[in-house]
Amino acid sequence: MARAYIGGRGQAATKSTSFVDVEEYTIDEALETFILSKEAEGVRSRTIEEYRHYKRYLKMFLEEYQYKVNLINGLSAKIICEYIIYLKQTKKAYEGIANREKESAGLSVNTSNIRLRTLKTMCNFGFKEGIIQTNPVSNIKLVRDDEQKEVQGLNDEVLNKLLSQFDTREYAQWRDKVLILLLLDTGMRINKAVNLQVSHIDLKLLTIHIPSETAKNRKGRDVSITREVGKLLQELHMEISNYFGDCEYVFFNAYGEPFTADAFRRRLNRKNDKMG
């Protein structure tokens, strides 16, 4: 806790002189205050979890580069610029995550900017609330991408080659293929697709309802599916129900537990490596 003297310039301390306690927040406290405010606003738990990851990434950088910065007011524009350079040139994607860590150093421009935007949002909040005395990100710009690389789609030949790799006699591979066909059919995000509930599927109208509480823009909507994909989803759910009883969800692992997006990504990456 820092103590600030409030009084007339050159005046001796009198009864009218006062001392005001100015609270100094640690980086942890300041960023956690921001996160708690977002929880109070009703931000989704997944987003809150990501905020905590971004807080941890910043602290790891400060520790790795031996910055003896504990208070949020010690976080300067110079440190943040060095953090950006670290993300662009040194940090490895998925570092510490088995089977996903990249050999090459440096995160993509998009990933770097996601982390930077979150840090800017946190600092702007802290400055507005009086937690930070000087906003260190006020003049920090997002990372520019001069190459403007376009994401390449998969052509029919590659997709057919991928789909032919799955042995549908095996449950896990059949489930993965159905999930891929669902993603291709609807454009759903993987996290939404693996959490698909059977009650959200309308086989008569051939639609899938995405509730407002799970939609990214908080607007519920219906997406169309083909009859073929609808039939596959129905067959997959029946298969699971026969083994594990009445199930609310469509996608499960072989142990009757909910199938996760990360598990699907790992399996798909293994297919990708096998295909070259």
Side-chain angles (χ1 to χ4, degrees):
M1 183 81 69
R3 191 174 292 279
Y5 170 71
I6 309 297
R9 184 179 178 185
Q11 297 175 349
T14 65
K15 290 183 180 180
S16 62
T17 301
S18 62
F19 288 89
V20 178
D21 287 334
V22 177
E23 189 172 1
E24 287 275 20
Y25 286 75
T26 65
I27 291 175
D28 247 348
E29 290 169 342
L31 300 187
E32 189 63 24
T33 299
F34 164 80
I35 293 171
L36 290 174
S37 77
K38 291 302 174 184
E39 280 188 301
E41 288 177 16
V43 172
R44 291 191 196 90
S45 58
R46 180 176 175 82
T47 303
I48 296 298
E49 183 182 347
E50 287 173 351
Y51 283 148
R52 290 205 164 93
H53 284 321
Y54 296 142
K55 182 181 76 168
R56 182 168 55 85
Y57 296 149
L58 175 63
K59 289 186 63 183
M60 287 170 61
F61 160 74
L62 295 173
E63 290 171 5
E64 185 175 339
Y65 281 74
Q66 297 183 346
Y67 281 107
K68 299 183 186 300
V69 178
N70 184 45
L71 299 178
I72 190 67
N73 283 311
L75 199 60
S76 65
K78 178 178 180 292
I79 291 175
I80 292 175
C81 286
E82 290 177 351
Y83 179 55
I84 295 169
I85 293 170
Y86 162 79
L87 294 176
K88 288 171 55 182
Q89 299 179 2
T90 307
K91 177 68 176 173
K92 289 184 178 180
Y94 306 113
E95 190 169 6
I97 302 177
N99 301 321
R100 295 194 71 190
E101 184 172 330
K102 302 291 185 181
E103 290 294 329
S104 57
L107 303 180
S108 69
V109 169
N110 183 55
T111 302
S112 297
N113 278 335
I114 288 172
R115 297 191 184 183
L116 180 55
R117 280 193 191 96
T118 304
L119 181 58
K120 283 170 71 73
T121 301
M122 289 176 166
C123 289
N124 289 336
F125 169 86
F127 182 68
K128 183 179 178 181
E129 295 296 318
I131 295 170
I132 303 175
Q133 294 172 12
T134 303
N135 192 348
V137 300
S138 57
N139 294 316
I140 302 291
K141 306 295 184 185
L142 294 178
V143 179
R144 293 177 56 183
D145 186 1
D146 295 329
E147 296 183 12
Q148 293 290 326
K149 292 180 180 178
E150 183 178 345
V151 176
Q152 296 297 314
L154 302 178
N155 58 37
D156 289 345
E157 181 181 355
V158 174
L159 283 174
N160 289 331
K161 182 180 178 182
L162 170 63
L163 293 170
S164 68
Q165 299 292 313
F166 293 93
D167 182 356
T168 55
R169 294 171 299 180
E170 180 187 321
Y171 163 74
Q173 294 199 50
W174 177 46
R175 175 208 57 212
D176 291 352
K177 185 173 182 177
V178 173
L179 180 51
I180 290 173
L181 291 170
L182 174 64
L183 294 171
L184 291 171
D185 207 26
T186 63
M188 292 174 70
R189 296 172 180 271
I190 294 176
N191 286 319
K192 299 291 184 295
V194 295
N195 288 297
L196 177 64
Q197 297 181 32
V198 68
S199 59
H200 293 157
I201 304 172
D202 190 324
L203 293 176
K204 289 183 179 179
L205 296 177
L206 292 177
T207 59
I208 288 175
H209 179 66
I210 300 178
S212 59
E213 60 267 22
T214 63
K216 186 164 186 174
N217 60 2
R218 295 299 179 103
K219 294 181 180 179
R221 67 186 190 279
D222 292 333
V223 295
S224 299
I225 54 173
T226 59
R227 192 170 300 279
E228 177 190 6
V229 168
K231 184 180 178 181
L232 287 171
L233 291 172
Q234 184 181 40
E235 291 175 1
L236 183 60
H237 183 255
M238 289 176 62
E239 174 104 358
I240 284 293
S241 297
N242 287 337
Y243 275 96
F244 302 109
D246 191 27
C247 299
E248 182 180 3
Y249 294 93
V250 176
F251 296 99
F252 286 84
N253 64 22
Y255 302 99
E257 301 165 340
F259 193 44
T260 66
D262 283 343
F264 174 65
R265 291 188 183 100
R266 287 194 295 271
R267 291 178 62 83
L268 198 57
N269 281 333
R270 287 199 288 270
K271 286 288 184 188
N272 178 61
D273 292 339
K274 184 178 178 181
M275 290 172 60

